[in-house]
Amino acid sequence: MTQVLRKFGVMGGTFDPVHYGHLVTAEAARREFGLERVVFLPSGAPPHKDPTGVTDAEHRYMMTVLATLSNPHFDVSRVDIDREGVTYTVDSLRILREIYGESTELYFITGADAILEIVSWKDPEKLLELAHFIGATRPGFSLDRVPQSTQEWLSHHPERVHMIKVPALAISSTDIRERVRTGNSIRYLVPEPVEHYIRRHNLYKHNL
Ligand code: ATP
Ligand code: MG
């Protein structure tokens, strides 16, 4: 049996743009599960979103780098944005396993909303073979709201599925894009360098 020497978190997302909700969640998971690193994984063409409405991957990547720079335990991976076409999480995890090797255990971190989606993802069983799964619920979110079939599926894998609570941060990228478009402030919702990057590149002025 391979000895597990280190544990890495993987924080997948569109990050359009990255915000403090993502950062707080990643840090909470890191502390709670003793993760050596959390790798942020900006998506290529996400299967669950309309690819035409998503900002250019290089902009999303740059903003994620800027947001994570000050935390020595945070990293950003280009694995998904450098791949052509639709990228599935299960394939991304397979690639990351190859890069980091057998002795690294992966913990895939997602927010509560993604728990509902995970069973509909490509190959959910394989996903749990490749990585642990950390579902971050916000206070007030109850697993009762998760459909029975999903709850049953999750309960079959208690050693691979974990839940953590993160502080209630009602921040979403959708809201930030809308704020920029309508001229509202995004100060204290995203790290300052991200705010500057958005202004400098005139992002989110026209699209939602
Ligand atoms: P959008 O509004 O465009 O859907 P988002 O804010 O949900 O964007 P994503 O890039 O879709 O951001 O999310 C990446 C991951 O971060 C997902 O697993 C999502 O559940 C989680 N997440 C997003 N916002 C928060 C938040 N405020 N607190 C905790 N987790 C979050
Ligand atoms: Mg989302």
Side-chain angles (χ1 to χ4, degrees):
M1 217 177 107
T2 324
Q3 203 195 343
V4 173
L5 294 178
R6 46 186 194 177
K7 302 197 251 178
F8 282 7
V10 179
M11 179 90 197
T14 316
F15 303 130
D16 192 15
V18 62
H19 54 67
Y20 279 123
H22 302 132
L23 297 164
V24 165
T25 302
E27 182 66 4
R30 185 180 79 75
R31 301 286 307 206
E32 193 151 334
F33 292 89
L35 309 175
E36 196 177 309
R37 259 201 241 179
V38 177
V39 181
F40 285 68
L41 185 68
S43 61
H48 293 288
K49 290 191 181 182
D50 173 11
T52 55
V54 175
T55 304
D56 183 79
E58 292 302 334
H59 281 318
R60 294 184 289 108
Y61 171 76
M62 278 306 295
M63 290 189 282
T64 311
V65 169
L66 289 171
T68 53
L69 214 55
S70 64
N71 188 328
H73 304 285
F74 286 176
D75 258 332
V76 188
S77 169
R78 292 187 60 94
V79 154
D80 275 2
I81 61 178
D82 284 344
R83 282 193 291 149
E84 298 271 309
V86 174
T87 55
Y88 291 99
T89 302
V90 62
D91 300 326
S92 315
L93 290 174
R94 215 175 266 129
I95 294 170
L96 290 175
R97 286 286 295 256
E98 273 167 33
I99 293 172
Y100 298 129
E102 290 278 297
S103 59
T104 301
E105 214 169 10
L106 298 181
Y107 285 71
F108 191 75
I109 307 160
T110 68
D113 47 337
I115 299 168
L116 304 171
E117 285 173 20
I118 194 168
V119 184
S120 71
W121 285 1
K122 185 189 170 208
D123 224 343
E125 295 290 332
K126 186 71 197 169
L127 192 86
L128 282 191
E129 267 174 47
L130 290 164
H132 285 254
F133 177 84
I134 301 174
T137 69
R138 307 168 205 196
F141 177 89
S142 163
L143 266 187
D144 300 345
R145 293 204 339 240
V146 175
Q148 192 66 31
S149 56
T150 309
Q151 285 191 44
E152 269 166 33
W153 186 82
L154 290 172
S155 70
H156 290 150
H157 308 275
E159 72 299 334
R160 304 292 279 180
V161 179
H162 319 272
M163 305 297 280
I164 55 165
K165 279 207 183 343
V166 294
L169 284 174
I171 306 177
S172 74
S173 302
T174 303
D175 178 57
I176 289 167
R177 295 194 298 274
E178 172 68 11
R179 279 166 176 270
V180 173
R181 197 181 62 85
T182 55
N184 276 310
S185 172
I186 57 167
R187 202 170 187 184
Y188 309 127
L189 299 177
V190 300
E192 238 176 272
V194 173
E195 190 184 343
H196 293 160
Y197 188 96
I198 290 169
R199 294 211 193 295
R200 178 165 172 186
H201 295 273
N202 212 21
L203 303 181
Y204 310 125
K205 280 295 182 194
H206 307 291
N207 62 327
L208 258 187

